[in-house]
């Protein structure tokens, strides 16, 4: 009998109570008021109370309460005992085991799992649903997000943020430019990016073009500069060279008897003209052979000394000197020719008029070099049967450079 008491759970009858001053009805424990009918209806505790019975006990709903009974051979007293009697009636005769309803709880899966077709817990592949912004790795019951190179994972564990490599590690040797997910290296002027895309090496500007400097290009780290040979100054454009006129600057070593003659890059000290016998000196640069002197019979009547300068490698053909007769006689004509000094056939005389001709350079001449040409003008007069000549002894100083 004591065991039966432990098995049975008491139930109460529904009693509608009316509180003074209130028209609303209240129900006792185990019942709920149905507002539509105004009646107190039984609460099914076996449904509303989680795990109402534990162990090997089964919950059986009763009017106003519930019972926890064993699953096998349950013995319980009638729910309709006299509530005012403390004497229990004799137990009923054994009968068939009642078939109590079994309440099943829905199968719950842990986080990261779901029921498959066979009602088994299967891992959820979160990567299929785009849980990660960039890279996703599925693991049993969960997932892991990572980012592509150049990005870092945010605190939410899912989204990625661009990494500024220029501030975090600055892999470039010179200038670093951050880009979305990566970076670019740039080099300062005068440097070029190497094949590794990171390091910068000096750019040899002098090897790119021979026209950067008029004379000589000197490479420097990240730059270059031009230099001029001795006897020249570098102009403001930092590439062109200008001849220094030592004669004007009086920066020469000629004696007072000599004449300073400037040529590109240097100067010459010219000695005074000295006429050789049978010539006599007319002025500082002219010699004359007198007609009454028998030794002058086959010699030019006059020799005029001229000096000029010329840069090396001058373009050809080029007119470089002109000569002409100072007096024209009736019945006379003139022939111009190179008498001596043109062994290399670099020059010829082109007659430009009845009394004039031009010295033409036909081949480039490289310096430094000194060329002396005797340019002869032959005078022919058929009226008086006269033939004579005059010579210009032209000295050409060819400089070493083309500027």
């Amino acid at each position: 009998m004591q065991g039966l008491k432990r098995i049975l759970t008491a139930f109460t009858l529904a009693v509608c109570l009316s509180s003074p001053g209130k028209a609303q009805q209240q129900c006792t424990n185990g019942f709920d008021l149905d507002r539509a009918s105004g009646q107190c209806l039984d609460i099914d505790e076996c449904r509303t109370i989680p795990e109402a019975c534990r162990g090997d006990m089964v919950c059986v709903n009763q009017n106003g309460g519930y019972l926890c009974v064993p699953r096998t051979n349950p013995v319980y007293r009638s729910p309709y005992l006299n509530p005012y009697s403390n004497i229990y009636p004799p137990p009923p005769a054994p009968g068939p085991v009642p078939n109590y309803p079994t309440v099943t709880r829905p199968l719950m899966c842990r986080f990261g799992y779901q029921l498959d077709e066979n009602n088994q817990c299967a891992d959820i592949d979160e990567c299929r649903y785009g849980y990660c912004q960039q890279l996703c790795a599925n693991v049993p019951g969960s997932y892991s997000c990572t980012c592509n190179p150049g990005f870092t994972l945010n605190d939410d564990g899912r989204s990625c943020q661009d990494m500024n490599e220029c501030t975090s590690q600055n892999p470039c040797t010179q200038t670093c430019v951050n880009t979305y997910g990566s970076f670019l290296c740039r080099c300062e002027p005068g440097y070029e990016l190497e094949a590794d895309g990171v390091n910068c090496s000096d750019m040899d500007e002098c090897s790119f073009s021979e026209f950067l400097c008029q004379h000589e290009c000197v490479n420097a780290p990240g730059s270059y500069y031009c230099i001029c040979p001795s006897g020249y100054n570098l102009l403001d454009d930092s590439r062109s060279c200008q001849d220094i006129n030592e004669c004007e600057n009086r920066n020469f070593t000629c004696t007072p008897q000599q004449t300073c003659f400037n040529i590109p890059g240097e100067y010459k000290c010219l000695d005074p003209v000295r006429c050789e016998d049978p010539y006599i000196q007319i002025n500082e640069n002219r010699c004359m052979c007198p007609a009454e002197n028998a030794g002058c019979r086959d010699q030019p009547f006059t020799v005029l000394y001229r000096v000029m300068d010329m840069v090396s490698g001058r373009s050809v053909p080029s007119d470089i000197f002109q000569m002409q007769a100072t007096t024209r006689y009736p019945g006379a004509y003139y022939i111009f020719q190179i008498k001596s000094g043109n062994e290399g056939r670099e020059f010829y005389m082109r007659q430009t008029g009845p009394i004039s001709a031009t010295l033409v350079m036909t081949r480039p001449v490289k310096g430094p070099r000194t060329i002396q040409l005797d340019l002869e003008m032959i005078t022919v007069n058929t009226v008086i049967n006269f033939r004579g000549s005059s010579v210009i002894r032209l000295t050409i100083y060819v400089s070493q450079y083309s500027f």
Side-chain angles (χ1 to χ4, degrees):
M1 182 64 69
Q2 293 298 325
L4 182 62
K5 289 181 179 181
R6 286 193 298 266
I7 294 174
L8 298 178
T9 300
F11 64 90
T12 53
L13 295 176
V15 178
C16 293
L17 302 179
S18 178
S19 301
K22 295 183 181 179
Q24 183 179 4
Q25 297 187 99
Q26 292 183 350
C27 299
T28 58
N29 291 339
F31 295 86
D32 244 345
L33 179 63
D34 181 36
R35 297 182 180 276
S37 62
Q39 302 294 320
C40 291
L41 302 180
D42 174 55
I43 298 174
D44 188 351
E45 291 84 358
C46 294
R47 288 181 172 272
T48 60
I49 300 177
E51 298 183 354
C53 299
R54 300 190 179 187
D56 196 27
M57 307 296 284
V58 177
C59 179
V60 179
N61 186 57
Q62 298 291 320
N63 193 24
Y66 66 95
L67 297 176
C68 291
V69 297
R71 292 183 181 277
T72 57
N73 298 324
V75 178
Y76 61 93
R77 64 184 178 89
S78 171
Y80 304 107
L81 295 176
N82 184 355
Y84 303 102
S85 173
N86 293 327
I87 301 174
Y88 290 94
V97 178
N99 185 15
Y100 298 108
T102 303
V103 179
T104 60
R105 299 175 57 197
L107 183 60
M108 302 294 292
C109 293
R110 290 183 299 165
F111 180 81
Y113 292 87
Q114 63 183 359
L115 288 177
D116 60 10
E117 298 174 351
N118 299 320
N119 286 334
Q120 300 294 323
C121 282
D123 174 54
I124 298 174
D125 185 0
E126 292 86 354
C127 297
R128 294 179 56 188
Y129 302 100
Y131 280 24
C132 299
Q133 183 181 6
Q134 290 187 0
L135 304 178
C136 179
N138 186 60
V139 295
S142 185
Y143 63 97
S144 175
C145 296
T146 55
C147 298
N148 292 318
F151 294 88
T152 56
L153 193 65
N154 287 326
D155 294 339
D156 59 8
R158 299 179 61 245
S159 60
C160 295
Q161 177 177 307
D162 173 55
M163 176 193 303
N164 191 340
E165 296 86 352
C166 298
T167 57
S168 60
Q169 56 191 26
N170 192 10
C172 304
T173 58
Q174 290 190 358
T175 304
C176 180
V177 179
N178 186 60
T179 61
Y180 188 70
S182 185
F183 65 93
L184 293 174
C185 293
R186 293 285 183 263
C187 298
E188 298 172 0
Y191 293 86
E192 56 186 349
L193 195 64
E194 296 182 1
D196 60 7
V198 171
N199 294 298
C200 295
S201 59
D202 175 54
M203 181 187 302
D204 186 2
E205 296 88 350
C206 298
S207 64
F208 294 158
S209 173
E210 60 181 4
F211 301 107
L212 289 177
C213 300
Q214 190 175 38
H215 175 57
E216 183 179 351
C217 179
V218 179
N219 187 58
S223 183
Y224 72 96
Y225 60 92
C226 300
I227 60 174
C228 295
S230 175
Y232 293 87
N233 282 329
L234 189 66
L235 293 180
D236 293 339
D237 62 3
S238 299
R239 66 168 301 271
S240 303
C241 298
Q242 184 180 51
D243 171 55
I244 299 173
N245 192 329
E246 294 87 356
C247 298
E248 284 187 1
N249 299 336
R250 304 195 64 80
N251 185 22
F252 55 84
T253 59
C254 301
T255 65
Q257 292 77 29
Q258 293 175 318
T259 301
C260 179
F261 181 74
N262 184 71
I263 63 176
E266 56 176 326
Y267 65 93
K268 296 292 183 181
C269 293
L270 305 180
D271 294 321
V273 173
R274 288 184 175 86
C275 300
E276 298 178 0
D277 188 59
Y279 286 87
I280 61 173
Q281 190 154 354
I282 302 300
N283 54 35
E284 63 180 7
N285 63 344
R286 185 187 294 267
C287 298
M288 183 184 71
C289 197
E292 59 272 14
N293 190 330
C296 295
R297 184 179 303 275
D298 297 325
Q299 298 296 327
F301 177 66
T302 60
V303 177
L304 180 64
Y305 291 84
R306 286 283 187 263
V307 180
M308 66 172 292
D309 65 274
M310 187 173 64
V311 295
S312 178
R314 184 169 173 173
S315 60
V316 293
S318 179
D319 298 345
I320 63 172
F321 188 79
Q322 290 184 341
M323 66 182 299
Q324 66 179 20
T326 56
T327 305
R328 184 174 185 180
Y329 297 97
Y333 64 92
Y334 302 89
I335 301 173
F336 297 90
Q337 64 180 13
I338 300 174
K339 186 175 182 179
S340 65
N342 193 29
E343 290 77 10
R345 298 183 180 277
E346 297 149 326
F347 306 92
Y348 83 96
M349 293 295 294
R350 183 181 77 244
Q351 192 149 344
T352 56
I355 62 172
S356 63
T358 300
L359 177 65
V360 181
M361 184 173 67
T362 58
R363 295 180 182 178
V365 177
K366 299 293 184 180
R369 182 181 172 187
T370 301
I371 302 172
Q372 185 173 308
L373 300 175
D374 278 359
L375 309 179
E376 185 177 35
M377 182 184 69
I378 301 173
T379 303
V380 179
N381 194 328
T382 58
V383 176
I384 61 175
N385 195 22
F386 171 81
R387 183 184 178 93
S389 69
S390 297
V391 169
I392 295 179
R393 186 158 290 166
L394 178 64
T395 302
I396 304 173
Y397 293 105
V398 183
S399 68
Q400 182 177 356
Y401 306 104
S402 61
F403 44 85

